[in-house]
Amino acid sequence: MGFIWSIIIGIAAGFIAGKIMKGSGFGLILNLIVGVVGGLLGGWIFTLLGVGVNSLLGNLVMSTIGAVVLLWIISFFKKKE
């Protein structure tokens, strides 16, 4: 059940990150995928910083931060039109 919650939190984080990074988003579906991957990135970043989260809200914040960082990195490689 923890895996399903991770997916749901990642999807919510991708949606929130897409709203935060206006103009840098890739559309709803790709932002949701970025949120799932961003959840992994956020977990890695928080582990490096020595910060642990145990709550649902903490996991959402961690995943959102990871998704925002991932969208920011991807925006460097996105072609400017």
Side-chain angles (χ1 to χ4, degrees):
M1 194 66 174
F3 179 72
I4 293 173
W5 273 113
S6 296
I7 298 292
I8 292 170
I9 290 171
I11 289 171
F15 178 76
I16 294 168
K19 296 297 181 189
I20 291 172
M21 297 290 290
K22 292 180 195 172
S24 297
F26 298 99
L28 181 62
I29 301 298
L30 287 177
N31 280 350
L32 299 180
I33 293 169
V34 166
V36 173
V37 175
L40 296 172
L41 179 63
W44 181 70
I45 291 171
F46 275 45
T47 300
L48 285 177
L49 296 174
V51 178
V53 294
N54 294 324
S55 67
L56 186 64
L57 182 61
N59 283 323
L60 181 61
V61 169
M62 177 187 68
S63 296
T64 302
I65 290 171
V68 167
V69 169
L70 186 59
L71 281 174
W72 180 69
I73 291 169
I74 291 173
S75 70
F76 286 120
F77 299 105
K78 186 177 177 185
K79 291 183 180 182
K80 304 290 182 196
E81 295 179 18

